[in-house]
Amino acid sequence: MFRVSQKTEYALRAMVELALREGQGPVPAREISTSQGIPLRFLEQQLAHLHKAGLVESFRGAGGGCRLARDAAGIRVSDVVDTMEGSFYPMFCLEPSDHTCFQDSRCGLQELWGDVRAAVRGVFERTTIADLAARHRHLAPDNPVWSPADLLHPADPAR
């Protein structure tokens, strides 16, 4: 059903990595790529979008790299999602410019999808990059790459 695109996933991972390294100066894209398991060429595209949106600062040359343009607590997940995806509408009938549905504005399903959009949007707006970095530190303090198994199941001390 609802899936986040890989470009948004990688952009969020890059932002978390930069938040984890806040105060350490610019972080080379290659280091972000290695730490987060993101293909470098794909990461560079996402960093360019984030830079253009004013979420990331870029520095060229020796000692160059990227850093967050402002404090991680001031950057919301919605800022990143909007940059990478544009506005989120789980159904075409919610898009303000799309009135192709024959039951436009008279449908209980449209209201349901509006509620879904509002709920997802609320989570994105309430969650900051600092929140994600804190979760990351808690879940994987020694491993900067998230494992789906680590996120879905409690850690097994016997492993």
Side-chain angles (χ1 to χ4, degrees):
M1 190 169 154
F2 170 69
R3 279 186 102 92
V4 173
S5 72
Q6 196 167 42
K7 67 183 179 181
T8 297
E9 169 75 11
Y10 287 167
L12 286 167
R13 285 182 183 267
M15 295 295 283
V16 168
E17 187 67 28
L18 292 173
L20 293 168
R21 296 175 182 224
E22 232 172 353
Q24 298 178 14
V27 181
R30 186 170 305 284
E31 287 184 26
I32 298 168
S33 170
T34 301
S35 293
Q36 291 295 326
I38 303 170
L40 181 59
R41 290 184 64 184
F42 200 59
L43 172 65
E44 288 169 341
Q45 294 171 9
Q46 307 334 306
L47 290 172
H49 288 293
L50 295 168
H51 174 72
K52 187 175 179 180
L55 299 174
V56 167
E57 294 179 325
S58 298
F59 302 91
R60 294 180 177 248
C66 297
R67 71 176 180 209
L68 297 179
R70 55 186 192 265
D71 185 66
I75 303 173
R76 300 170 303 168
V77 169
S78 61
D79 298 328
V80 178
V81 172
D82 291 348
T83 295
M84 303 311 296
E85 302 292 338
S87 297
F88 161 69
Y89 299 104
M91 285 295 288
F92 71 93
C93 62
L94 294 177
E95 290 194 43
S97 62
D98 189 332
H99 299 287
T100 57
C101 179
F102 74 97
Q103 290 195 30
D104 193 21
S105 301
R106 299 173 301 189
C107 174
L109 287 175
Q110 190 175 30
E111 185 177 350
L112 168 74
W113 295 124
D115 291 346
V116 168
R117 180 189 186 279
V120 170
R121 184 76 188 174
V123 171
F124 288 170
E125 289 181 359
R126 284 190 308 271
T127 308
T128 67
I129 298 302
D131 296 333
L132 295 180
R135 290 178 190 182
H136 181 78
R137 282 186 193 100
H138 174 74
L139 289 171
D142 297 328
N143 181 5
V145 178
W146 293 296
S147 160
D150 291 338
L151 296 174
L152 298 174
H153 305 292
D156 180 4
R159 285 203 284 175

